[in-house]
Amino acid sequence: MIADKGGVRGEMQITIFGTGYVGLVLAAVTADAGHKVTCIDIDEKKVEGLRNGVVPIYEPGLEPLIVRNHAAGRLTFSTDARKGVAFGEIIFIAVGTPPEEDGSADLSHVLKVAATIGATMESDKIVVTKSTVPVGTADKVRARIEQEIAARGREDLTVDVASNPEFLKEGAAVLDCQKPDRIVIGVRRPGSLTEQMLRELYAPFNRNHEKIIVMDVRSAELTKYAANCLLATKISFMNEMANLAENLGADIEKVRLGIGSDPRIGYHFIYPGAGYGGSCFPKDVRALISMARDADYEPLIMKAVEGRNERQKRVIFDKIVARFGSGLSGRTFALWGLAFKPNTDDMREAPARAVLDALLAAGAKVRAYDPKAMDECRHIYGDRDGLVLCQSQEEALTGADALVVMTEWKEFLSPDFTYLRETLKEAVIFDGRNIYEPATIARHGLTLHAIGRTTEKAADA
């Protein structure tokens, strides 16, 4: 068994496999708290870039943390897995779990890391799954490590595997990691050295009040999915109500205020819009559906959540067709916002992509702008016919018939409405995030099509 060194520990040596979104944030924040952290990745170009301060994702506050702690020697990056295994008292697995065609999570990267740990470890280890993984993954990781240990004839080595799911919001991940609202730790034995070590690791982030919640491993694994799927459910429910409100002549934003004032409901995640996207909600909803089916349980609510969201992504395009007709050849649309949410460059399953794809397929031209996601858009779409990537929101308006807003970046909240009216050929705005007040838009001579709100036509129309 791993030796109990006793007492309250200070600096720890931490190894993190994976330099994606979760791994980099965890590495930067724990290094900034004084721990020695090494990140392992198989991508040599990515690792070399990180050593030179090139951070492959945009997340507010992340780059300076990485640069500062790397310069201080607390944070290193390597492709040498063997050295990484030897270095870490605690080894986090934070590699990707991309979805399979049936929605289930692909664990090949996780289990490959487990095999590497078992094949190279020379002392007892604590391994922690940080990636979002299906219930039962920690058991599979431990089995794979022990299989490799047995193959080497090293019965003297032991490993314990815990679950420590992340609850980070893209765009606020650094702050979420520094000041978490909860720290979930799943262990096989309550009060074990593994629990003690993880408590000590997170002690700097657990000072004001007790945030650590200890439970069994499988419950910890399910907690992550349950949290994300409940938030996705709130979003899809509000989108369902928004569409109904529109048909009934009600205003969903007033409904939102009416129900949000109930403390049992609250205001969080009840903003209607064009659907959710990103790396977590869509993938986790599908993965939970897959897990449920594997457990011979039909997840009716989750299926409805996913179905509502997929249809919601087409609502704005449907409004465009209702206004301009299905033949959009010869039409040009300014598109503000490509990322799935503000303060990130992440376009994975972004609702803006559904609208962009539909417009291009219908023969329209699109002039797109996003404050941070332009490089990601170039990577995804390349030199796509009909798509022009612009350097500013004003440039995107040039020659456009109408404006489509799909991400609620702050710089989009208070545009020059007079300039919009004079620049757009049709003086029409399609608001996929309900960031504009219909009456305000109408007073400026523009027509607004929003989500769950009666269309306000220009005052002079």
Side-chain angles (χ1 to χ4, degrees):
M1 181 60 191
I2 302 169
D4 186 345
K5 300 174 184 178
V8 176
R9 297 289 309 282
E11 174 192 289
M12 290 187 180
Q13 294 184 183
I14 307 300
T15 295
I16 300 173
F17 277 85
T19 59
Y21 179 80
V22 174
L24 284 179
V25 172
L26 176 65
V29 171
T30 51
D32 203 53
H35 299 296
K36 291 286 184 69
V37 182
T38 188
C39 289
I40 306 298
D41 201 290
I42 61 174
D43 188 333
E44 293 183 4
K45 184 177 179 181
K46 188 177 183 182
V47 166
E48 187 60 30
L50 285 163
R51 289 170 178 162
N52 293 309
V54 179
V55 181
I57 58 173
Y58 173 74
E59 180 65 36
L62 180 59
E63 182 177 322
L65 272 186
I66 289 176
V67 171
R68 180 170 73 245
N69 285 283
H70 180 64
R74 289 188 295 269
L75 178 58
T76 58
F77 301 95
S78 175
T79 58
D80 192 328
R82 181 181 291 272
K83 287 184 178 179
V85 172
F87 179 83
E89 299 175 80
I90 302 176
I91 300 174
F92 284 93
I93 301 178
V95 296
T97 55
E100 300 276 19
E101 288 187 8
D102 63 356
S104 62
D106 178 359
L107 294 179
S108 60
H109 302 299
V110 171
L111 295 178
K112 185 175 181 180
V113 172
T116 298
I117 294 170
T120 60
M121 59 186 281
E122 295 295 338
S123 60
D124 297 345
K125 296 294 179 182
I126 294 173
V127 176
V128 183
T129 55
K130 194 70 175 177
S131 306
T132 300
V133 292
V135 176
T137 297
D139 293 338
K140 293 179 180 179
V141 167
R142 183 162 59 92
R144 181 62 61 87
I145 294 172
E146 290 177 343
Q147 179 185 356
E148 294 293 333
I149 291 173
R152 296 164 58 202
R154 291 297 305 271
E155 288 78 7
D156 57 310
L157 296 175
T158 62
V159 64
D160 196 17
V161 179
S163 172
N164 175 218
E166 54 85 17
F167 298 95
L168 307 179
K169 299 185 293 292
E170 288 194 47
V174 171
L175 184 61
D176 283 347
C177 197
Q178 291 170 329
K179 298 181 179 180
D181 49 21
R182 79 280 209 195
I183 302 168
V184 173
I185 295 173
V187 293
R188 290 196 297 151
R189 294 179 299 277
S192 63
L193 177 62
T194 297
E195 178 186 330
Q196 174 190 321
M197 293 283 282
L198 288 171
R199 282 185 176 275
E200 291 169 358
L201 173 66
Y202 286 119
F205 315 108
N206 190 42
R207 294 174 63 85
N208 293 333
H209 62 274
E210 183 60 58
K211 300 174 183 177
I212 293 177
I213 304 171
V214 179
M215 59 185 70
D216 63 278
V217 174
R218 288 186 170 234
S219 294
E221 291 170 329
L222 182 57
T223 296
K224 167 64 176 180
Y225 283 102
N228 276 358
C229 290
L230 179 57
L231 295 176
T233 300
K234 291 183 74 173
I235 294 171
S236 282
F237 174 82
M238 283 305 293
N239 286 336
E240 186 105 301
M241 290 301 102
N243 299 336
L244 179 59
E246 205 167 317
N247 288 348
L248 294 174
D251 186 335
I252 192 60
E253 290 300 327
K254 292 181 172 60
V255 174
R256 179 180 64 81
L257 295 174
I259 67 174
S261 59
D262 186 332
R264 296 171 300 174
I265 298 172
Y267 292 104
H268 294 299
F269 285 85
I270 61 169
Y271 289 88
Y276 59 75
S279 62
C280 295
F281 286 5
K283 179 171 68 74
D284 291 354
V285 168
R286 293 172 194 142
L288 190 58
I289 291 172
S290 176
M291 272 188 279
R293 287 175 173 167
D294 288 345
D296 294 323
Y297 184 81
E298 192 66 20
L300 300 178
I301 293 177
M302 288 298 95
K303 288 167 64 178
V305 167
E306 183 189 23
R308 173 72 271 154
N309 192 62
E310 288 305 302
R311 286 190 287 275
Q312 196 70 16
K313 290 182 179 182
R314 287 191 60 87
V315 165
I316 286 294
F317 178 72
D318 291 342
K319 291 179 181 292
I320 293 171
V321 170
R323 173 64 175 78
F324 292 107
S326 57
L328 297 178
S329 181
R331 296 284 185 183
T332 298
F333 295 89
L335 177 60
W336 286 0
L338 296 165
F340 85 96
K341 65 181 289 188
N343 296 320
T344 181
D345 59 356
D346 194 344
M347 288 182 62
R348 284 174 287 185
E349 303 215 35
R353 291 181 62 176
V355 174
L356 175 55
D357 291 342
L359 287 171
L360 294 176
K365 294 182 179 179
V366 178
R367 298 177 62 82
Y369 169 74
D370 186 282
K372 293 296 180 182
M374 302 308 290
D375 287 342
E376 181 65 13
C377 190
R378 290 188 188 92
H379 173 73
I380 294 170
Y381 286 94
D383 296 325
R384 181 79 171 268
D385 289 342
L387 175 60
V388 177
L389 301 183
C390 301
Q391 298 301 310
S392 69
Q393 60 196 78
E394 291 79 14
E395 182 186 342
L397 298 171
T398 304
D401 291 277
L403 168 64
V404 182
V405 182
M406 292 301 296
T407 312
E408 61 274 34
W409 287 96
K410 285 185 178 179
E411 64 190 76
F412 299 158
L413 300 184
S414 301
D416 184 337
F417 292 119
T418 300
Y419 180 76
L420 285 176
R421 185 189 70 240
E422 294 174 348
T423 304
L424 295 172
K425 294 179 182 178
E426 299 285 342
V428 176
I429 300 175
F430 296 91
D431 183 358
R433 293 300 171 192
N434 282 8
I435 62 176
Y436 302 128
E437 277 299 318
T440 301
I441 299 299
R443 283 199 305 271
H444 285 87
L446 293 143
T447 297
L448 180 69
H449 298 272
I451 305 290
R453 315 190 82 172
T454 302
T455 297
E456 288 279 353
K457 295 185 178 180
D460 56 356

